[in-house]
Amino acid sequence: MMELIIQRRIKQVLKGDQNAFGEIVEIYKDKVYQICFRMLWDRHEAEDAAQEAFIKAFVNIHTYDPEKKFATWLYRIATNLCIDRIRKKKPDYHLDAEISGTEGLNMYSQIASAEELPEEAVENSELQEIIQSAIFKLPEKYRSVIILKYLEELQLQEIADILELPLGTVKTRVHRGREALRKYLRNM
Amino acid sequence: MMASCQKEIVRLMHNYLDGELISGEQRKLKVHLQKCENCRQHFFELKKTIALVQSMSQVRAPEGFTEKVLFSLPKEARMSSIQRWIRKHPFFMAASLFIVLTTGGFLSSWQQETDHFAFTKHENLHVENDTVVVPAGERVKGDIVVRNGDIRIEGEVEGDVTVINGEKYMASAGNVTGDIEEIDEAFGWLWYKLKKTVAGVFD
């Protein structure tokens, strides 16, 4: 049912209807943002990455194969962008950072992020911090599978499709990711 | 407990956690866990780890997320929506173009106005080279038009922002209450002029 609505919206987007794309963003924004936030552990960066993912999806919508699940395609774009950002390991990888003379801007952004307390407060319990930091300590290849499996609650086969990896590789990564997390969290 | 037995049992644990144990293996794991304290502890820790990870609260995309995405869509797409509109209304376009061109001003004003960097003056605007900056924490009241230059919005604009032959950069905290438009080259500029002319006619 959901896929049907999505497929209809995609057809409208292909005809140039940007509002239809807005509806797609509404449906998937929380999921995509969650992947980015858990991967990058920084609100601003996660927002940038999630925005970039949707923009990239829009620009490349004609390459999406309607025979396949849309979410798989979208999550692939999002996880790849996050992995790219992690690998680049630049001190700031804001979309805004492309502007010249960014020092002031970044300071400003940091102030802005400190102001986002109400939303963060829910999550800022010490335990959540510890668990998130354990996830964040994982190498990105384990981090992505753990997030997709346990936070997005996806099946192993779907994770394999998103990451374009053989199922066996995904299983191995889940096993190793769980073992690494166990070492970080066993004394909780 | 032997190290080699440990390895095989740990594999079974993980397969169990992925719901992929065949019944013989399940029995093997169960029997082993009953007699091996270390493996029991290991298995318990794995299950606890999963429970901890799953206990994390779901995060939600920030306010205004969708609007920001739609604002950032590439302008070719916005241009093509203009072109689509023109395809639907070819007669109107042709008639308007005729009027604009025959009233004369168009070509000469195009040349005049395309030459240099210009922008609407406001007290709190800063200029860096050919970039107009709405500084963080500042609020500009009124519309801003920038020609042959860029605009960077870190503060707030109470009005429309139009960039002709330039780029618009929005900081995360930047905000524009009105419409934002980027216009490129002669075609878009003509379209913009046309819209203003038409709007002027109806005002």
Side-chain angles (χ1 to χ4, degrees), chain A residues 157-172:
Chain A
Q157 184 56 57
E158 208 174 344
I159 298 171
D161 293 342
I162 290 169
L163 300 172
E164 296 183 293
L165 290 170
L167 184 60
T169 308
V170 171
K171 281 185 195 167
T172 308

Side-chain angles (χ1 to χ4, degrees), chain B residues 2-13:
Chain B
M2 302 286 290
S4 58
C5 101
Q6 159 88 355
K7 204 175 172 191
E8 167 65 6
I9 295 298
V10 168
R11 191 184 65 80
L12 292 181
M13 287 180 198

